[in-house]
Amino acid sequence: NAGVMQNPRHLVRRRGQEARLRCSPMKGHSHVYWYRQLPEEGLKFMVYLQKENIIDESGMPKERFSAEFPKEGPSILRIQQVVRGDSAAYFCASSPVGPTSGAYNEQFFGPGTRLTVL
Amino acid sequence: DAKTTQPPSMDCAEGRAANLPCNHSTISGNEYVYWYRQIHSQGPQYIIHGLKNNETNEMASLIITEDRKSSTLILPHATLRDTAVYYCIVRGGVSGGSNYKLTFGKGTLLTVNP
């Protein structure tokens, strides 16, 4: 059973360009979470999605950032008009069940995408 | 979620037990203690979690004090591959709420020396 997959692993963009980060959850997982890790910092929650729905985007910057998890295909984190401050590692996690299931919903993390904005 | 406090770094000799402390004095009754680790340039890896009883799995043991205000993660026989940042996280109960939001602090950098 393959783990959470993220691509690309490294992404370099110039200021003003768009960045698209992809996350394929583990097989059978329909809950996806995105986290950002700035240099020398811990991971910070950004958004929680279930298939075709955004459940909680309270950790997402209000502008330029968006996320989706379509019925088919990977989850996408999109950053428009990137700035140097967006340089960070972006991690995706998935879980088989959600927080209201009554069961423990351990999150399995992918290897991350390291975004560098020049 | 309750705040946690961990030492920024620790050293351990290979083959010895590594004991990583965590303070969570404001933990509430339905909050669990979770431990994750992050090996350099990788995503976080779940280690163990507990509510009030001590827990053990194939990776580690978790000792939670009776008042639940602190806990210790024990790696019984540390290896070089255990060198990583270890995060102690307090997280809400498994049912409902926003318990899916894992809040990572700066953790403890454990360096296992040969």
Side-chain angles (χ1 to χ4, degrees), chain B:
Chain B
D1 291 337
K3 181 179 169 60
T4 62
T5 304
Q6 298 177 253
S9 64
M10 292 182 65
D11 285 299
C12 176
E14 188 178 18
R16 305 297 294 267
N19 298 284
L20 293 93
C22 179
N23 286 323
H24 32 78
S25 58
T26 60
I27 192 169
S28 59
N30 68 342
E31 289 182 317
Y32 288 69
V33 179
Y34 285 74
W35 284 84
Y36 281 77
R37 73 179 182 184
Q38 188 175 21
I39 296 171
H40 184 61
S41 297
Q42 296 183 23
Q45 177 189 22
Y46 165 82
I47 301 173
I48 199 168
H49 76 284
L51 183 61
K52 50 186 175 183
N53 296 323
N54 297 337
E55 302 288 343
T56 296
N57 62 21
E58 64 279 3
M59 289 183 69
S61 295
L62 174 61
I63 309 297
I64 302 175
T65 57
E66 194 169 339
D67 63 8
R68 302 211 320 125
K69 293 185 177 182
S70 65
S71 60
T72 301
L73 179 74
I74 301 172
L75 307 179
H77 305 286
T79 70
L80 299 179
R81 288 181 295 179
D82 291 323
T83 292
V85 178
Y86 287 77
Y87 297 99
C88 169
I89 297 170
V90 170
R91 181 179 176 190
V94 296
S95 296
S98 58
N99 66 331
Y100 48 82
K101 291 185 185 178
L102 297 177
T103 300
F104 291 80
K106 294 192 176 181
T108 297
L109 172 60
L110 174 68
T111 302
V112 181
N113 300 304

